[in-house]
Amino acid sequence: MLDPDGDTHLYVQISEVIRSRIVQGGSPGDPVASEADIQREFGVARTTARRAIRVLRDEGLVHTVHGEGTFVGVHAAAPRLPRKTPLYQHIAAEIAKQISAGEFQPRRPIPGETTLIQQYDVARETVR
């Protein structure tokens, strides 16, 4: 699918793939693949995934809401309801609930960043 030896940067190739997916079936407000999803699907670094999303954002095809993700369309036109609680607060509340319920043993570590990133499919910054 991608041509790493070609004369087009990988992030541009990835943005073209995502653009065609949006054009073929995306509606305003639909979520777009996260940076972590792009990394896994295309086997690229996080900076490459971030650049691919930036290309689409600069074109006005998508918008990003901090802590929630990237969505089709411009922010003002997207019919998506905002979350009542930011995602990072939701994750923290779930961990606190697990601690209160005794799911973690005393003096034992809670799940690390990598585990939480995979479990919630979010960016490292969200988990931090």
Side-chain angles (χ1 to χ4, degrees):
M1 181 178 256
L2 296 182
D3 182 7
D5 298 322
D7 61 352
T8 303
H9 293 289
L10 287 177
Y11 72 91
V12 174
Q13 294 178 51
I14 294 168
S15 68
E16 290 171 357
V17 170
I18 296 170
R19 181 183 304 104
S20 69
R21 290 176 184 170
I22 291 170
V23 170
Q24 290 175 0
S27 298
D30 285 351
V32 176
S34 69
E35 290 176 4
D37 291 336
I38 293 170
Q39 279 184 274
R40 279 190 296 277
E41 180 178 350
F42 297 101
V44 295
R46 183 147 210 118
T47 55
T48 303
R50 187 169 289 148
R51 282 179 157 182
I53 293 296
R54 185 180 307 130
V55 167
L56 299 171
R57 193 171 44 244
D58 290 347
E59 293 174 0
L61 193 58
V62 301
H63 70 279
T64 301
V65 178
H66 183 71
E68 293 187 33
T70 301
F71 304 91
V72 175
V74 294
H75 186 59
R80 184 182 60 80
L81 295 174
R83 290 180 195 228
K84 294 183 180 184
T85 306
L87 189 54
Y88 71 91
Q89 288 179 353
H90 172 73
I91 294 169
E94 282 192 15
I95 293 171
K97 188 186 314 179
Q98 291 173 326
I99 291 170
S100 296
E103 294 180 30
F104 299 117
Q105 297 297 318
R107 294 181 296 283
R108 299 286 182 216
I110 62 172
E113 281 184 358
T114 304
T115 302
L116 294 173
I117 289 167
Q118 293 169 348
Q119 181 178 349
Y120 291 98
D121 192 28
V122 295
R124 184 169 305 278
E125 292 79 14
T126 302
V127 169
R128 286 184 175 166

